[in-house]
Amino acid sequence: MLQIEGAVLEDGKSPNNWDVFCHIPGSIKNGDTGDIADDHYHRFLEDIEIIHSLGVNAYRFSISWSRVLPRGRLGEVNPKGVLFYSKIIDNLLLKGIEPYVTIYHHNHPQELEERFGAWLSPLMQEEFVHFAETCFENFGDRVKYWTTINEPNLFTELAYLSGRYPPAHCSAPFGNCSSGNSDTEPLFVLHNMLLSHAKAANIYRHKYQLKQGGFIGIIANTFMYEPLRDIELDREAAKRALAFYTAWVLDPLVFGDYPPEMRQYHGNELPRFTSEETKSLTQSLDFIGINHYSTLYAKDCIHSTCSSDGDRAIQGFVYLTGERHGVPIGERTGIWRFFIVPRGMEKIIEYVKERYNNMPMFVTENGYSPPEQQDEQEEDLVQDAKQIEFHKAYLAALVRAIRNGADVRGYFIWSLMDSFEWVYGYNTRFGLYHVDRQTLRRTPKLSARWYAKFLTNSGHNHVADATPGSSKIKDAILTRLKTQKAEM
């Protein structure tokens, strides 16, 4: 909720890692911070009305650790923080909207960072379990869908490999940070995250699931990869990239160990799981959350010359790029490595289906942000026809995967409204609603009106597809996807 919530130190909330990082000069574009964000903390009733008006029947949001447990295990539960999220859950349910709750979305009390290094330490596992159980105890009677951690692979990459997220750890050739080791720290951080998920899921299984009747999963950030060159080496590199990114998170939770490709190239640097940990990991998922935005080219760096950052084990000896001979793989967006490649949605869902025995999936994030323009006016920002085209194309690709047997249970657009997009600040806009930065007024974009008509099956908003019968594709989405939604 950091991206929309605001109220940075209000009602007992403590500073989290991002609150501190935002105030370090140069960390965030334009010097933006999440101190106010979209002021969802004070406007949540208005926002729930907006969600309801779209016709969605599910809403995904996260719980701020530092608002509920300001000092982690060393302190008490903050009743005002619990009340805030309880009011959100209760008001969603009153509108017939199912809450999908993410326990950890990249932010934790800064005290944990200062006390023992947060995710670099195994101590973080017990802190996370305490936080997760606090959530189960206080909200689990009404929340039926839990995800423990959002995108542990992306967080690990940006916080401990490239150093762009707090605590800004990295080493050459990936960056010039004051501390960190890009070749090893990501391995330990993700290891702690996976064990934290497994322990929290184990507690949920044994103490809460039977009486609360819910489900628990995790969310992986996913790219699809295509060979840069039409040669076997790059086809293998594309497969290796999937193993070193998506399977890095999901293989241990399904098979009990890291991908064989990672064992091959990392050797003893890759942590090991005990037999007890393996058992806990493989019993920890009811579903997989997939965040997918884009596709990249992959080039082999084992037998080919590459730039220094691709020629490393931590990257699977793969060089990733969005261009081939200066031509982008798809139309550019507002994020430097996000390109519009709808076929990637079908391919990544197929990959997860095949590798993980068609475990139930939710597409928990998919969205479009336009390239930033100078002197943009609100009128231009709300006429977002390109976002509509994006979602039509990606939804059509998703339905092709569903028709091919993928057990996809829901689809969530990122995002309901323009928000604090981490290091990009507020000029990167994924929202269906524009938020004026001076007044915080929410204004529906063209895409919001389209999505509402699409969900209520009104108007002529056929999903584009390469095959005839667009209305049938739309019907498939509306009937097969049981949970359509709006934001984090």
Side-chain angles (χ1 to χ4, degrees), residues 267-411:
N268 292 330
E269 287 184 340
L270 191 61
R272 298 273 177 185
F273 297 111
T274 67
S275 57
E276 184 177 335
E277 288 170 344
T278 294
K279 182 180 178 181
S280 179
L281 287 161
T282 56
Q283 296 176 356
S284 67
L285 284 185
D286 293 319
F287 62 87
I288 295 169
I290 300 294
N291 290 358
H292 178 73
Y293 294 86
S294 190
T295 297
L296 295 170
Y297 290 124
K299 178 188 176 184
D300 169 70
C301 296
I302 298 174
H303 304 285
S304 308
T305 302
C306 291
S307 62
S308 56
D309 61 336
D311 193 20
R312 313 286 284 207
I314 195 69
Q315 298 282 72
F317 297 105
V318 177
Y319 170 69
L320 300 175
T321 178
E323 294 186 356
R324 176 194 282 154
H325 305 309
V327 179
I329 192 171
E331 192 172 340
R332 297 183 186 277
T333 73
I335 301 287
W336 66 274
R337 63 177 180 175
F338 286 4
F339 300 82
I340 302 177
V341 190
R343 63 182 179 271
M345 174 67 85
E346 181 180 5
K347 290 179 179 180
I348 194 65
I349 294 296
E350 185 68 19
Y351 173 82
V352 174
K353 181 190 83 171
E354 293 298 323
R355 192 172 181 107
Y356 304 111
N357 310 312
N358 206 11
M359 180 175 286
M361 287 175 268
F362 291 87
V363 175
T364 38
E365 286 182 27
N366 173 236
Y368 170 81
S369 172
E372 186 178 343
Q373 305 291 332
Q374 296 297 319
D375 302 319
E376 293 175 300
Q377 302 300 311
E378 181 175 303
E379 183 177 343
D380 300 319
L381 296 172
V382 300
Q383 298 299 317
D384 61 340
K386 183 62 67 177
Q387 180 159 209
I388 297 172
E389 293 176 16
F390 175 96
H391 285 297
K392 284 182 178 181
Y394 272 77
L395 282 167
L398 177 60
V399 169
R400 290 196 295 271
I402 292 169
R403 285 178 165 176
N404 200 34
D407 189 5
V408 179
R409 305 288 180 90
Y411 171 82

Side-chain angles (χ1 to χ4, degrees), residues 443-457:
T443 302
K445 300 179 186 178
L446 202 61
S447 58
R449 302 183 192 282
W450 167 79
Y451 198 50
K453 288 180 180 179
F454 173 76
L455 291 176
T456 55
N457 210 16

